[in-house]
Amino acid sequence: MTWKNHGELFVRYKRNPILTMGDWPYKANSVFNPAAAIVDGKTLLLVRVEDHRGFSHFTVARSNNGIDGWEIDTEPTFTPDPVNYPEEIYGIEDPRITYIDELEKWAVAYTAFSDSGPLPALALTEDFRKFDRVGPALPPDNKDAAIFPARFNGKWALIHRPAPTVHSKKANIWISFSTDMKSWGWHEVLLYAREGGWWDAHKIGLSPQPIRTPEGWLIMYHGVRQTTPKISYRLGLALLDLKDPTKVLRRSEGWVFGPHETYERSGDVNDVVFPCGWVVVNDEIRIYYGGADTSVSLASAKMDDIMRYIRECPEEQCPDEYCRFFEGHKGRPADPKKG
Ligand code: BMA
Protein backbone atom coordinates (compact mmCIF):
# COMPACT_ATOMS: atom_id res chain seq x y z
CA MET A 1 0.00 0.00 0.00
CA THR A 2 1.52 3.35 -1.05
CA TRP A 3 -0.80 5.47 1.02
CA LYS A 4 0.85 8.11 3.21
CA ASN A 5 -0.88 8.97 6.48
CA HIS A 6 -0.78 12.74 6.98
CA GLY A 7 -2.84 12.70 10.17
CA GLU A 8 -4.78 15.83 11.14
CA LEU A 9 -3.78 18.97 9.24
CA PHE A 10 -5.53 21.65 11.31
CA VAL A 11 -4.47 22.81 14.77
CA ARG A 12 -7.17 23.72 17.27
CA TYR A 13 -7.17 27.11 18.96
CA LYS A 14 -6.24 26.29 22.54
CA ARG A 15 -9.07 28.26 24.10
CA ASN A 16 -11.82 26.57 22.10
CA PRO A 17 -14.76 26.80 21.97
CA ILE A 18 -14.60 30.46 20.93
CA LEU A 19 -18.38 31.03 21.13
CA THR A 20 -20.92 29.27 23.32
CA MET A 21 -24.49 29.86 24.52
CA GLY A 22 -22.92 31.58 27.55
CA ASP A 23 -21.76 34.41 25.23
CA TRP A 24 -25.18 34.89 23.66
CA PRO A 25 -27.11 38.11 24.27
CA TYR A 26 -30.51 36.37 24.19
CA LYS A 27 -31.99 33.00 25.13
CA ALA A 28 -31.47 30.05 22.80
CA ASN A 29 -30.40 26.41 22.94
CA SER A 30 -27.15 26.23 20.95
CA VAL A 31 -24.81 28.17 18.61
CA PHE A 32 -22.93 26.24 15.93
CA ASN A 33 -22.07 25.66 12.23
CA PRO A 34 -21.11 29.27 11.34
CA ALA A 35 -20.39 30.68 7.90
CA ALA A 36 -17.33 32.95 7.82
CA ALA A 37 -16.02 35.86 5.76
CA ILE A 38 -13.73 38.86 6.08
CA VAL A 39 -16.00 41.91 5.88
CA ASP A 40 -14.63 45.46 6.23
CA GLY A 41 -11.40 44.09 7.71
CA LYS A 42 -13.19 42.11 10.45
CA THR A 43 -13.95 38.41 10.68
CA LEU A 44 -17.70 37.98 10.38
CA LEU A 45 -19.40 34.79 11.47
CA LEU A 46 -22.99 34.11 10.49
CA VAL A 47 -23.78 31.74 13.32
CA ARG A 48 -26.58 29.19 13.31
CA VAL A 49 -28.60 29.61 16.49
CA GLU A 50 -31.11 26.95 17.48
CA ASP A 51 -34.03 28.00 19.67
CA HIS A 52 -35.99 25.94 22.18
CA ARG A 53 -38.46 24.79 19.53
CA GLY A 54 -35.55 23.19 17.62
CA PHE A 55 -35.80 25.80 14.84
CA SER A 56 -32.72 27.74 13.71
CA HIS A 57 -31.94 31.30 12.56
CA PHE A 58 -28.68 33.21 11.96
CA THR A 59 -26.95 35.85 14.06
CA VAL A 60 -23.84 37.82 13.13
CA ALA A 61 -20.73 37.90 15.36
CA ARG A 62 -17.82 40.19 14.40
CA SER A 63 -14.25 40.23 15.68
CA ASN A 64 -11.17 42.30 14.81
CA ASN A 65 -8.76 39.37 15.11
CA GLY A 66 -11.13 36.50 14.31
CA ILE A 67 -10.31 34.86 17.64
CA ASP A 68 -11.84 36.81 20.48
CA GLY A 69 -13.58 40.08 21.34
CA TRP A 70 -16.70 39.00 19.41
CA GLU A 71 -19.45 41.58 19.04
CA ILE A 72 -22.68 39.66 18.69
CA ASP A 73 -25.87 41.21 17.28
CA THR A 74 -28.24 41.62 20.21
CA GLU A 75 -31.22 40.30 18.19
CA PRO A 76 -31.39 37.52 15.57
CA THR A 77 -29.92 38.92 12.32
CA PHE A 78 -31.53 36.76 9.63
CA THR A 79 -34.70 34.93 10.63
CA PRO A 80 -36.99 32.49 8.81
CA ASP A 81 -39.86 34.13 6.92
CA PRO A 82 -42.38 31.31 6.47
CA VAL A 83 -45.20 33.70 5.56
CA ASN A 84 -43.45 34.72 2.34
CA TYR A 85 -41.13 31.71 2.05
CA PRO A 86 -43.10 28.70 3.30
CA GLU A 87 -40.07 26.46 2.76
CA GLU A 88 -38.60 28.12 5.89
CA ILE A 89 -41.40 26.85 8.15
CA TYR A 90 -39.02 24.85 10.39
CA GLY A 91 -36.16 27.34 10.28
CA ILE A 92 -32.96 28.05 8.36
CA GLU A 93 -29.67 26.22 8.93
CA ASP A 94 -26.00 25.93 8.00
CA PRO A 95 -25.18 29.08 5.96
CA ARG A 96 -22.22 29.37 3.55
CA ILE A 97 -21.05 32.82 2.40
CA THR A 98 -19.49 33.75 -0.95
CA TYR A 99 -18.59 37.23 -2.21
CA ILE A 100 -19.94 37.70 -5.73
CA ASP A 101 -17.66 40.24 -7.45
CA GLU A 102 -20.02 40.81 -10.36
CA LEU A 103 -22.91 41.80 -8.06
CA GLU A 104 -20.75 43.41 -5.39
CA LYS A 105 -22.84 41.47 -2.90
CA TRP A 106 -22.46 38.54 -0.57
CA ALA A 107 -24.45 35.45 -1.40
CA VAL A 108 -25.64 33.28 1.47
CA ALA A 109 -26.54 29.70 0.59
CA TYR A 110 -28.45 28.04 3.43
CA THR A 111 -30.70 25.13 4.23
CA ALA A 112 -34.39 26.01 4.47
CA PHE A 113 -36.23 23.40 6.50
CA SER A 114 -39.54 22.90 4.70
CA ASP A 115 -42.48 20.68 5.51
CA SER A 116 -41.17 18.28 2.83
CA GLY A 117 -37.61 18.28 4.22
CA PRO A 118 -34.47 20.43 3.89
CA LEU A 119 -33.62 22.28 0.68
CA PRO A 120 -30.93 24.78 -0.47
CA ALA A 121 -31.98 28.43 -0.65
CA LEU A 122 -30.11 31.61 -1.57
CA ALA A 123 -30.13 35.20 -0.32
CA LEU A 124 -28.02 38.26 -1.18
CA THR A 125 -26.77 40.95 1.16
CA GLU A 126 -24.49 43.98 1.03
CA ASP A 127 -24.07 44.52 4.74
CA PHE A 128 -25.28 41.47 6.70
CA ARG A 129 -28.11 43.59 8.05
CA LYS A 130 -30.62 43.46 5.19
CA PHE A 131 -31.01 40.22 3.23
CA ASP A 132 -32.82 39.83 -0.12
CA ARG A 133 -33.91 36.30 -0.78
CA VAL A 134 -33.34 34.81 -4.21
CA GLY A 135 -35.53 31.92 -3.06
CA PRO A 136 -35.30 28.14 -2.97
CA ALA A 137 -32.71 26.76 -5.42
CA LEU A 138 -33.57 23.06 -5.47
CA PRO A 139 -36.30 20.84 -4.03
CA PRO A 140 -35.89 18.61 -0.93
CA ASP A 141 -34.21 16.49 0.34
CA ASN A 142 -31.06 18.43 -0.28
CA LYS A 143 -28.57 20.45 1.81
CA ASP A 144 -24.91 21.54 2.16
CA ALA A 145 -24.99 24.09 -0.67
CA ALA A 146 -22.53 26.86 -1.57
CA ILE A 147 -22.24 29.05 -4.64
CA PHE A 148 -19.01 29.85 -6.49
CA PRO A 149 -17.98 33.53 -6.65
CA ALA A 150 -17.84 33.72 -10.44
CA ARG A 151 -19.63 32.35 -13.49
CA PHE A 152 -18.33 29.54 -15.70
CA ASN A 153 -19.18 29.99 -19.38
CA GLY A 154 -21.83 32.51 -18.30
CA LYS A 155 -23.37 30.25 -15.67
CA TRP A 156 -23.38 30.37 -11.87
CA ALA A 157 -22.36 27.13 -10.20
CA LEU A 158 -23.79 25.63 -7.01
CA ILE A 159 -22.48 22.66 -5.06
CA HIS A 160 -25.14 20.78 -3.09
CA ARG A 161 -25.98 17.35 -1.68
CA PRO A 162 -29.22 15.61 -2.55
CA ALA A 163 -30.05 13.00 0.07
CA PRO A 164 -30.49 9.38 -0.83
CA THR A 165 -33.97 8.16 -1.57
CA VAL A 166 -35.31 4.67 -1.25
CA HIS A 167 -33.49 3.81 -4.48
CA SER A 168 -29.96 4.50 -3.26
CA LYS A 169 -28.05 4.29 -0.02
CA LYS A 170 -25.44 6.82 -1.14
CA ALA A 171 -25.46 10.58 -0.69
CA ASN A 172 -23.02 12.10 -3.20
CA ILE A 173 -22.05 15.74 -3.73
CA TRP A 174 -23.57 17.31 -6.87
CA ILE A 175 -22.95 20.47 -8.88
CA SER A 176 -25.56 22.43 -10.85
CA PHE A 177 -25.52 25.52 -13.03
CA SER A 178 -27.81 28.50 -13.57
CA THR A 179 -27.96 31.62 -15.70
CA ASP A 180 -30.03 33.60 -13.18
CA MET A 181 -29.34 31.97 -9.73
CA LYS A 182 -33.03 30.97 -9.61
CA SER A 183 -33.44 28.03 -11.97
CA TRP A 184 -30.75 25.40 -11.59
CA GLY A 185 -29.97 22.72 -14.15
CA TRP A 186 -27.09 20.92 -15.87
CA HIS A 187 -26.93 18.72 -12.75
CA GLU A 188 -24.16 16.19 -12.27
CA VAL A 189 -22.35 14.32 -9.54
CA LEU A 190 -19.18 16.11 -8.44
CA LEU A 191 -17.81 13.82 -5.73
CA TYR A 192 -18.92 10.28 -4.97
CA ALA A 193 -19.19 8.94 -1.45
CA ARG A 194 -16.76 6.05 -1.21
CA GLU A 195 -17.76 2.53 -0.37
CA GLY A 196 -16.94 -0.16 2.17
CA GLY A 197 -14.86 0.81 5.18
CA TRP A 198 -13.75 4.29 4.11
CA TRP A 199 -14.26 7.21 6.52
CA ASP A 200 -16.31 8.93 3.80
CA ALA A 201 -18.34 5.93 2.65
CA HIS A 202 -22.04 6.32 1.88
CA LYS A 203 -22.64 9.95 2.86
CA ILE A 204 -20.66 13.09 2.11
CA GLY A 205 -21.53 16.80 1.84
CA LEU A 206 -19.77 20.11 1.18
CA SER A 207 -18.52 21.91 4.29
CA PRO A 208 -17.44 25.59 3.75
CA GLN A 209 -17.65 27.55 0.50
CA PRO A 210 -15.11 26.82 -2.30
CA ILE A 211 -11.89 28.87 -2.08
CA ARG A 212 -10.05 29.99 -5.21
CA THR A 213 -6.32 29.13 -5.21
CA PRO A 214 -3.90 29.48 -8.14
CA GLU A 215 -4.01 25.68 -8.54
CA GLY A 216 -7.75 25.16 -8.39
CA TRP A 217 -10.84 25.49 -6.21
CA LEU A 218 -10.12 24.13 -2.76
CA ILE A 219 -13.12 22.49 -1.16
CA MET A 220 -13.58 20.86 2.21
CA TYR A 221 -16.21 18.17 2.64
CA HIS A 222 -17.57 16.09 5.48
CA GLY A 223 -17.86 12.34 5.50
CA VAL A 224 -20.32 10.67 7.81
CA ARG A 225 -19.12 7.40 9.19
CA GLN A 226 -21.86 5.25 10.62
CA THR A 227 -21.01 2.39 12.93
CA THR A 228 -23.50 0.49 15.03
CA PRO A 229 -23.16 2.58 18.19
CA LYS A 230 -22.63 6.04 16.66
CA ILE A 231 -21.98 8.39 13.76
CA SER A 232 -18.90 10.63 13.24
CA TYR A 233 -18.60 13.71 11.06
CA ARG A 234 -15.03 14.09 9.75
CA LEU A 235 -13.46 16.33 7.11
CA GLY A 236 -11.50 15.86 3.90
CA LEU A 237 -10.27 18.12 1.10
CA ALA A 238 -10.50 18.15 -2.69
CA LEU A 239 -9.23 20.37 -5.50
CA LEU A 240 -11.40 21.25 -8.50
CA ASP A 241 -10.27 22.58 -11.87
CA LEU A 242 -10.30 26.40 -11.95
CA LYS A 243 -11.99 26.68 -15.33
CA ASP A 244 -14.23 23.63 -15.08
CA PRO A 245 -15.27 22.96 -11.46
CA THR A 246 -16.93 19.67 -12.48
CA LYS A 247 -13.39 18.24 -12.80
CA VAL A 248 -12.01 16.87 -9.54
CA LEU A 249 -8.20 17.08 -9.68
CA ARG A 250 -7.29 15.76 -6.24
CA ARG A 251 -9.08 14.23 -3.28
CA SER A 252 -8.05 13.32 0.26
CA GLU A 253 -7.70 9.69 1.11
CA GLY A 254 -7.56 10.06 4.89
CA TRP A 255 -9.62 12.59 6.81
CA VAL A 256 -7.78 15.76 7.83
CA PHE A 257 -9.83 16.81 10.86
CA GLY A 258 -12.23 14.92 13.11
CA PRO A 259 -13.94 15.04 16.50
CA HIS A 260 -11.44 14.56 19.29
CA GLU A 261 -11.85 17.13 22.06
CA THR A 262 -14.73 16.96 24.57
CA TYR A 263 -16.51 19.94 22.97
CA GLU A 264 -16.57 18.02 19.67
CA ARG A 265 -17.34 14.60 21.10
CA SER A 266 -20.14 15.47 23.47
CA GLY A 267 -23.09 17.81 22.97
CA ASP A 268 -26.51 17.91 21.34
CA VAL A 269 -25.19 15.59 18.62
CA ASN A 270 -22.02 13.75 19.66
CA ASP A 271 -18.89 13.37 17.51
CA VAL A 272 -19.42 16.20 15.07
CA VAL A 273 -17.07 18.81 13.62
CA PHE A 274 -19.03 20.86 11.10
CA PRO A 275 -17.45 23.96 9.51
CA CYS A 276 -19.62 26.10 7.25
CA GLY A 277 -16.97 28.81 6.87
CA TRP A 278 -13.26 29.31 6.40
CA VAL A 279 -11.11 32.38 5.70
CA VAL A 280 -7.55 32.97 4.57
CA VAL A 281 -5.67 35.47 6.75
CA ASN A 282 -2.13 36.16 5.52
CA ASP A 283 -0.64 32.70 5.07
CA GLU A 284 -3.11 30.94 7.37
CA ILE A 285 -6.38 29.20 6.61
CA ARG A 286 -8.87 29.22 9.49
CA ILE A 287 -11.88 26.98 9.76
CA TYR A 288 -14.81 27.97 11.96
CA TYR A 289 -16.83 24.96 12.94
CA GLY A 290 -19.65 23.70 15.07
CA GLY A 291 -18.60 21.23 17.77
CA ALA A 292 -21.18 18.54 18.60
CA ASP A 293 -23.98 20.86 17.35
CA THR A 294 -23.45 22.92 20.51
CA SER A 295 -20.69 25.55 20.22
CA VAL A 296 -18.35 27.31 17.76
CA SER A 297 -14.63 26.51 17.53
CA LEU A 298 -11.61 27.51 15.49
CA ALA A 299 -8.75 25.55 13.95
CA SER A 300 -6.06 26.67 11.52
CA ALA A 301 -3.31 25.52 9.18
CA LYS A 302 -0.65 27.14 7.02
CA MET A 303 -2.02 27.59 3.51
CA ASP A 304 1.28 26.32 2.06
CA ASP A 305 0.98 23.09 4.05
CA ILE A 306 -2.57 22.56 2.82
CA MET A 307 -1.54 23.13 -0.81
CA ARG A 308 1.48 20.84 -0.45
CA TYR A 309 -0.82 18.18 1.00
CA ILE A 310 -3.49 18.46 -1.69
CA ARG A 311 -0.88 18.28 -4.47
CA GLU A 312 0.22 14.93 -3.02
CA CYS A 313 -3.32 13.57 -2.93
CA PRO A 314 -4.29 11.17 -5.69
CA GLU A 315 -6.47 12.09 -8.60
CA GLU A 316 -10.16 11.48 -8.00
CA GLN A 317 -11.17 7.93 -8.83
CA CYS A 318 -14.74 7.29 -9.86
CA PRO A 319 -16.47 4.35 -8.19
CA ASP A 320 -15.63 0.96 -9.66
CA GLU A 321 -19.08 0.26 -10.99
CA TYR A 322 -19.29 3.61 -12.73
CA CYS A 323 -15.81 3.22 -14.25
CA ARG A 324 -16.61 -0.25 -15.53
CA PHE A 325 -19.75 1.07 -17.18
CA PHE A 326 -17.90 3.89 -18.90
CA GLU A 327 -14.78 1.86 -19.63
CA GLY A 328 -12.46 3.74 -21.94
CA HIS A 329 -13.40 7.14 -20.47
CA LYS A 330 -11.19 8.86 -17.96
CA GLY A 331 -13.46 9.80 -15.09
CA ARG A 332 -16.99 10.69 -16.02
CA PRO A 333 -18.12 11.01 -19.62
CA ALA A 334 -18.18 14.42 -21.31
CA ASP A 335 -21.44 16.24 -20.70
CA PRO A 336 -23.09 17.03 -24.03
CA LYS A 337 -25.29 19.67 -22.36
CA LYS A 338 -22.40 21.90 -21.41
CA GLY A 339 -21.68 24.91 -23.62
C1 BMA B 1 -26.05 17.43 9.31
C2 BMA B 1 -26.44 18.88 9.29
C3 BMA B 1 -25.69 19.70 10.32
C4 BMA B 1 -25.44 18.99 11.63
C5 BMA B 1 -25.01 17.56 11.40
C6 BMA B 1 -24.81 16.78 12.70
O1 BMA B 1 -26.95 16.66 8.60
O2 BMA B 1 -27.81 18.96 9.54
O3 BMA B 1 -26.42 20.87 10.57
O4 BMA B 1 -24.43 19.69 12.31
O5 BMA B 1 -25.97 16.91 10.61
O6 BMA B 1 -26.00 16.75 13.46
Side-chain angles (χ1 to χ4, degrees):
M1 190 162 92
T2 56
W3 181 62
K4 178 175 171 196
N5 197 344
H6 293 265
E8 287 212 333
L9 296 186
F10 291 85
V11 177
R12 288 167 180 82
Y13 175 56
K14 35 183 194 321
R15 295 175 69 186
N16 274 344
I18 56 167
L19 288 170
T20 68
M21 253 338 292
D23 301 306
W24 232 247
Y26 57 89
K27 287 200 179 87
N29 170 61
S30 48
V31 294
F32 57 117
N33 300 7
I38 303 293
V39 181
D40 300 330
K42 293 188 177 191
T43 301
L44 179 145
L45 300 184
L46 191 59
V47 182
R48 172 176 170 191
V49 182
E50 192 183 282
D51 67 23
H52 283 76
R53 296 171 302 173
F55 301 177
S56 295
H57 59 266
F58 306 143
T59 292
V60 165
R62 293 177 180 83
S63 156
N64 286 328
N65 63 10
I67 297 171
D68 51 23
W70 295 96
E71 288 165 23
I72 304 167
D73 283 0
T74 51
E75 300 283 330
T77 313
F78 183 18
T79 53
D81 178 10
V83 172
N84 297 306
Y85 297 88
E87 67 278 2
E88 297 181 2
I89 183 84
Y90 299 125
I92 53 176
E93 305 182 350
D94 301 351
R96 276 92 172 173
I97 300 170
T98 305
Y99 188 72
I100 311 282
D101 285 313
E102 184 186 319
L103 304 178
E104 297 184 358
K105 288 178 184 173
W106 300 91
V108 184
Y110 58 96
T111 303
F113 202 149
S114 83
D115 196 43
S116 316
L119 61 87
L122 287 167
L124 297 171
T125 183
E126 283 175 51
D127 54 9
F128 289 93
R129 291 188 172 84
K130 187 176 165 291
F131 295 83
D132 296 316
R133 283 170 174 80
V134 180
L138 290 160
D141 270 17
N142 196 323
K143 46 168 78 170
D144 300 324
I147 193 166
F148 285 81
R151 298 180 193 239
F152 302 90
N153 285 331
K155 299 189 188 89
W156 302 108
L158 186 80
I159 296 181
H160 57 99
R161 205 286 309 282
T165 65
V166 281
H167 303 294
S168 167
K169 286 200 172 59
K170 281 178 88 179
N172 300 317
I173 296 177
W174 286 62
I175 186 165
S176 300
F177 294 85
S178 169
T179 51
D180 61 2
M181 278 194 197
K182 286 182 192 232
S183 311
W184 293 87
W186 297 279
H187 313 291
E188 64 179 90
V189 175
L190 176 66
L191 222 57
Y192 286 92
R194 280 187 265 231
E195 287 160 17
W198 285 96
W199 68 274
D200 55 355
H202 308 309
K203 187 176 174 185
I204 57 174
L206 184 76
S207 283
Q209 76 282 9
I211 290 190
R212 195 196 318 248
T213 76
E215 291 162 64
W217 296 99
L218 185 66
I219 63 166
M220 176 173 255
Y221 70 96
H222 52 269
V224 187
R225 173 75 182 258
Q226 192 144 18
T227 51
T228 313
K230 68 177 186 92
I231 52 164
S232 279
Y233 277 73
R234 299 189 179 112
L235 302 167
L237 296 166
L239 194 68
L240 313 179
D241 187 84
L242 267 187
K243 289 212 175 98
D244 178 1
T246 67
K247 264 195 215 151
V248 181
L249 305 176
R250 306 274 163 196
R251 176 176 179 177
S252 290
E253 289 185 287
W255 45 273
V256 300
F257 197 69
H260 183 263
E261 298 299 322
T262 312
Y263 53 84
E264 301 160 345
R265 298 222 50 198
S266 167
D268 274 4
V269 181
N270 295 346
D271 293 300
V272 179
V273 288
F274 204 94
C276 288
W278 54 2
V279 297
V280 179
V281 179
N282 303 323
D283 59 347
E284 192 178 78
I285 183 157
R286 294 175 171 178
I287 54 172
Y288 291 91
Y289 63 99
D293 284 9
T294 299
S295 56
V296 174
S297 283
L298 165 65
S300 65
K302 291 272 171 263
M303 194 63 188
D304 283 352
D305 293 343
I306 296 295
M307 293 314 292
R308 197 173 308 120
Y309 160 81
I310 199 78
R311 259 180 241 129
E312 282 182 23
C313 286
E315 286 180 21
E316 159 77 335
Q317 301 292 313
C318 54
D320 286 353
E321 234 179 276
Y322 196 89
C323 284
R324 273 199 299 275
F325 185 74
F326 290 108
E327 217 171 331
H329 291 270
K330 184 160 164 29
R332 59 179 67 79
D335 184 347
K337 297 185 298 296
K338 243 183 269 153

